[in-house]
Amino acid sequence: MKKLLFAAMLLCGVYSAQAVKIIHGPYLQAVSDTEATIMWVTDTKALSWVEIAPDDGTNFYHVERPQFYQTYLGKRVYGTVHQIRVTGLEPGKKYRYSTSSKEVVGVEGHRVTYGHVATTKVYAKDFNNVFSTLDSSKKNLKFIVLNDIHAKQEKLEALLNTYEEGKTDMVFFNGDMVSMVPTEAILFEGFVDAAVRRFAKQVPFYLVRGNHETRGLFATSYLTYFPTTTGKPYFTMKQGDVFFIVLDGGEDKPDSCLEYYETAQYDNYRKEEAAWLQKVVESEECKNAKYRIVLMHMPPIGGKNVWHGPKHAGECFFPILNKANITVMLSGHTHKYSYNTPDTTDAAFPILVNSNSTALKANVNSNGIKIDVIDMQGAVKHTHTFK
Ligand SMILES: [Fe+2]
């Protein structure tokens, strides 16, 4: 009798042996002044939604909160990777959010059967799913930049100590956070899970694609895990006095290199990106900003020693950026610190290359931009200022 009852409960979707669980996230992506994407991964297929509430002191259950869904051509979709775009937000405002996933236990024809729901306990004492939208009128801005971590956890944890809870507004991962993307798990174990533990539920990270993130089976699912406001790995945003331009330099060697197994087409890609960049620098938002900071993983530096990828990126992007009054370009890739003044490169602006064992900690206020280069022990190794 008990067995029969259990089978009946399973059929009704009332009980399943293993309830749906969130295994990665939630983490914030593509946060702009009016929108944000909430990301998470469940251990089994589920239909998901996000509820949003302003951080105004009311109980989350005070009123019905608006729900947002993941849809495709008008239809809510279910799966294990949940990417939910929240729209209609106000700039520079704090919001709370909850995530819910209803397990899909069966699909037969057009019928879908559901099981348990995994949801955020918004009444819990440690509920802290709160983030701020970007604010172009923000007076003080703090951000950090890490790169070339190559999934090394000790290094990542040490350098993330530059993140200051309640003070750091944004985090940039400037490429090569992993060495290859053969599986979904590598992205999470490599750096996303650590980011979630430290800050990514409350503060967004913006991923700059490095040449190593272009490699492996899951490299083509890049935007599934790291959506952007443009639908491309290159994008812009304005926060405080800074207009940020994030560029994707693609791979480092010529497209014909045997290492790419005939899959590389980065010359054409960089040319397409340059056409987009031209429009970006002509925009009023870019022109009117006090500062313009470019992030690109591979620095086009090194004269005759520069490899094809960064060289071609320089040829595509410098003619455009050199007319755009760029404050500084932040790069990585070489695993070695260098500060490249315009007389040593083809750029009309300085290029600050961060090493693989330091983080950049930037502070923007009415005095200008101060960038400290901080090592794994927390010591300041170099400081650069921009007016
Ligand atoms: Fe690299």
Side-chain angles (χ1 to χ4, degrees):
M1 186 61 194
K2 265 185 188 170
K3 270 184 188 169
L4 270 176
L5 186 64
F6 181 71
M9 285 168 87
L10 268 180
L11 278 174
C12 297
V14 174
Y15 183 85
S16 64
Q18 204 178 9
V20 58
K21 277 201 260 335
I22 293 181
I23 51 170
H24 303 292
Y27 60 102
L28 296 155
Q29 285 289 278
V31 174
S32 73
D33 54 348
T34 56
E35 299 187 2
T37 299
I38 317 292
M39 297 286 315
W40 70 99
V41 177
T42 48
D43 62 346
T44 184
K45 284 183 182 170
L47 189 75
S48 294
W49 66 97
V50 163
E51 289 183 21
I52 287 281
D55 193 29
D56 57 3
T58 59
N59 192 288
F60 203 96
Y61 289 141
H62 188 59
V63 293
E64 197 88 46
R65 303 298 184 181
Q67 293 189 348
F68 295 84
Y69 312 109
Q70 183 172 5
T71 61
Y72 177 71
L73 305 178
K75 187 164 180 156
R76 286 179 69 186
V77 293
Y78 54 82
T80 56
V81 182
H82 310 281
Q83 183 189 102
I84 296 189
R85 189 77 176 148
V86 175
T87 57
L89 306 177
E90 289 175 38
K93 202 169 160 181
K94 272 188 172 180
Y95 291 91
R96 294 168 287 170
Y97 66 96
S98 74
T99 61
S100 301
S101 288
K102 185 185 275 189
E103 183 179 6
V104 172
V105 292
V107 181
E108 200 181 333
H110 65 284
R111 291 196 182 91
V112 184
T113 314
Y114 297 107
H116 281 266
V117 180
T119 192
T120 311
K121 289 190 173 69
V122 294
Y123 49 82
K125 271 191 182 152
D126 61 352
F127 171 65
N128 193 22
N129 290 6
V130 184
F131 71 98
S132 296
T133 47
L134 300 190
D135 181 5
S136 61
S137 64
K138 195 172 170 50
K139 293 289 167 234
N140 298 307
L141 169 64
K142 285 175 193 266
F143 65 90
I144 60 170
V145 185
L146 278 71
N147 48 270
D148 299 281
I149 297 298
H150 289 278
K152 293 195 174 73
Q153 296 307 291
E154 217 173 301
K155 189 179 276 188
L156 178 61
E157 293 290 350
L159 294 175
L160 279 179
N161 288 336
T162 50
Y163 175 82
E164 294 178 281
E165 196 178 333
K167 291 183 181 169
T168 305
D169 300 293
M170 311 157 87
V171 175
F172 290 93
F173 288 145
N174 203 353
D176 289 3
M177 296 303 288
V178 292
S179 295
M180 203 177 274
V181 203
T183 63
E184 175 186 271
I186 278 175
L187 288 173
F188 290 98
E189 290 159 11
F191 69 103
V192 178
D193 286 347
V196 170
R197 282 195 297 275
R198 299 289 285 263
F199 67 86
K201 281 181 194 172
Q202 293 88 27
V203 167
F205 66 79
Y206 298 89
L207 182 60
V208 184
R209 194 164 76 146
N211 52 309
H212 281 270
E213 274 99 22
T214 68
R215 301 175 187 177
L217 193 62
F218 272 71
T220 45
S221 303
Y222 185 85
L223 293 166
T224 302
Y225 301 93
F226 311 110
T228 67
T229 50
T230 56
K232 305 274 186 184
Y234 44 85
F235 51 93
T236 66
M237 81 211 74
K238 171 89 189 323
Q239 170 88 306
D241 286 330
V242 183
F243 185 75
F244 291 95
I245 303 175
V246 170
L247 295 178
D248 179 6
E251 266 288 11
D252 54 357
K253 294 175 269 300
D255 285 345
S256 61
C257 179
L258 288 176
E259 204 177 293
Y260 304 148
Y261 290 88
E262 301 175 51
T263 63
Q265 272 297 298
Y266 292 104
D267 280 3
N268 286 335
Y269 176 71
R270 283 183 287 257
K271 284 179 202 162
E272 277 172 27
E273 187 176 345
W276 165 85
L277 181 62
Q278 182 63 48
K279 288 193 195 121
V280 164
V281 300
E282 286 166 6
S283 70
E284 293 304 310
E285 199 180 28
C286 179
K287 285 196 268 190
N288 294 339
K290 194 169 174 187
Y291 306 107
R292 280 151 291 274
I293 294 179
V294 178
L295 290 109
M296 184 165 78
H297 172 71
M298 298 190 301
I301 58 168
K304 284 181 179 173
N305 282 323
V306 67
W307 290 19
H308 173 77
K311 177 173 154 288
H312 187 248
E315 288 163 6
C316 289
F317 305 145
F318 282 166
I320 301 164
L321 294 173
N322 285 350
K323 291 181 195 150
N325 193 18
I326 299 300
T327 310
V328 63
M329 175 183 270
L330 307 177
S331 294
H333 185 62
T334 64
H335 293 200
K336 200 173 154 218
Y337 162 84
S338 66
Y339 187 73
N340 306 270
T341 50
D343 55 312
T344 63
T345 72
D346 291 330
F349 44 85
I351 301 174
L352 171 56
V353 179
N354 184 42
S355 84
N356 61 343
S357 54
T358 50
L360 304 179
K361 192 169 179 179
N363 195 349
V364 187
N365 57 32
S366 56
N367 296 322
I369 302 175
K370 179 170 169 274
I371 301 182
D372 288 327
V373 181
I374 314 251
D375 72 10
M376 287 166 62
Q377 287 72 43
V380 178
K381 306 305 282 182
H382 311 273
T383 296
H384 296 279
T385 54
F386 306 91
K387 296 283 179 192

